[in-house]
Amino acid sequence: MSTDAGRAHPAPEELDLLLGPGAEPDASAEATEVRAHVRDCATCAALVTEMATVRELLRTAGRDVPPPPADLDTRIAAALAAAAAGPEPAGGTTGTTVVPLQRPQPRVPRWATVAAGLVVLAGSALTAGQLIGGSGSDQATSASDQAESTDAAGEVAGAAATPVLRSGTDYGPDTLPRQVLALLNDPQERAEEPAQESADGPAGTLAAPVEEPVATPQGLAECLVALGAPGAVPQVVDLATWQGEPVAVIVLDEGDRRGVWVVERTCAPGADGLVHYASVTG
């Protein structure tokens, strides 16, 4: 135990005995001693509360976070290759590295930072293992290319079955859940509302072939790959606006909820143009 003005405090690993995974409290002699100390020590009680909060954050983190882009491995590989190549040769360059300013972050206890870091390192190790995995033979590569081609054809076919609408809706973070549920309840009725003037053009019509890639089966399939959902068949795609800016609202069925992706209409691998993501129930 550490001391504070002559008073001994339990170490973090001892306090962790009070946060065990079981429903019943730890009845060991050590845990009983720690529990008695915490009851009379405001400092240790506050630390236990912080530890419990961080544990809950680690348990629930990622529940409503969209999956990483499908080409994340490629981006990491490119970044590693660029770093291995070293700085650009002299010729107008100084070799100075410009580091962008970072926003100040809330103070987090050191032990909490270490815990979060372990989670990140575990994910990074998995990705690095996939990147460093040995290359196969030419025959294996050819078979893989053929499989990818077949998958791509299936993804385009699935995207072609998706209804693409122009509802004229101007979505926003507060109104998105209600607007999406209204669109799903009767998309055809939404598509046939009286025309309104908007930055997106005439409202109330089914989307005709347009230049926005995401409005075509091929473009939509590529956008879904960029969003980490290759082969998914959206329930609906609405070419609408987000706070006045043209976007595509893609709704995916995720079981008991709907994954709603608001993206730029140029969404494609390497530039998904993600504007907003929400998980909507109902």
Side-chain angles (χ1 to χ4, degrees):
M1 293 190 180
S2 62
T3 60
D4 182 7
R7 185 181 185 184
H9 296 289
E13 56 269 23
E14 295 174 303
L15 293 175
D16 196 53
L17 294 173
L18 307 183
L19 302 171
E24 296 297 328
D26 191 329
S28 66
E30 184 179 9
T32 300
E33 180 183 355
V34 172
R35 191 175 295 108
H37 173 89
V38 170
R39 276 198 298 266
D40 299 327
C41 178
T43 300
C44 290
L47 183 55
V48 169
T49 300
E50 284 191 44
M51 293 171 68
T53 299
V54 171
R55 176 170 292 190
E56 179 64 14
L57 287 174
L58 291 174
R59 185 180 70 82
T60 60
R63 176 177 297 172
D64 293 329
V65 177
D71 62 343
L72 178 60
D73 288 355
T74 302
R75 297 188 195 179
I76 294 176
L80 292 175
E88 297 180 358
T93 62
T94 62
T96 302
T97 301
V98 179
V99 180
L101 293 176
Q102 301 293 322
R103 296 181 179 177
Q105 299 295 320
R107 184 186 69 83
V108 179
R110 185 180 176 214
W111 61 266
T113 304
V114 173
L118 291 175
V119 176
V120 174
L121 286 174
S124 299
L126 176 61
T127 301
Q130 293 173 339
L131 290 174
I132 300 174
S135 59
S137 64
D138 292 341
Q139 182 177 0
T141 300
S142 177
S144 176
D145 291 343
Q146 183 176 1
E148 289 179 1
S149 177
T150 301
D151 291 343
E155 292 165 3
V156 174
T162 300
V164 181
L165 311 177
R166 277 185 188 273
S167 71
T169 303
D170 185 44
Y171 293 89
D174 297 329
T175 57
L176 181 66
R178 172 176 54 80
Q179 292 169 317
V180 167
L181 292 178
L183 188 71
L184 291 175
N185 286 337
D186 198 340
Q188 193 64 29
E189 180 179 345
R190 293 282 297 171
E192 294 177 356
E193 289 179 347
Q196 303 174 21
E197 291 296 328
S198 72
D200 190 39
T205 59
L206 290 174
V210 291
E211 294 182 357
E212 295 98 331
V214 76
T216 66
Q218 179 68 40
L220 178 56
E222 292 178 353
C223 179
L224 291 171
V225 170
L227 295 175
V233 180
Q235 290 183 281
V236 67
V237 173
D238 189 11
L239 300 179
T241 58
W242 176 267
Q243 298 179 327
E245 295 297 325
V247 295
V249 178
I250 303 174
V251 183
L252 296 178
D253 186 350
E254 297 180 350
D256 61 344
R257 61 183 64 196
R258 306 289 185 271
V260 183
W261 307 74
V262 181
V263 299
E264 296 176 1
R265 298 185 187 180
T266 54
C267 169
D272 57 33
L274 182 63
V275 175
H276 184 78
Y277 172 84
S279 183
V280 177
T281 57

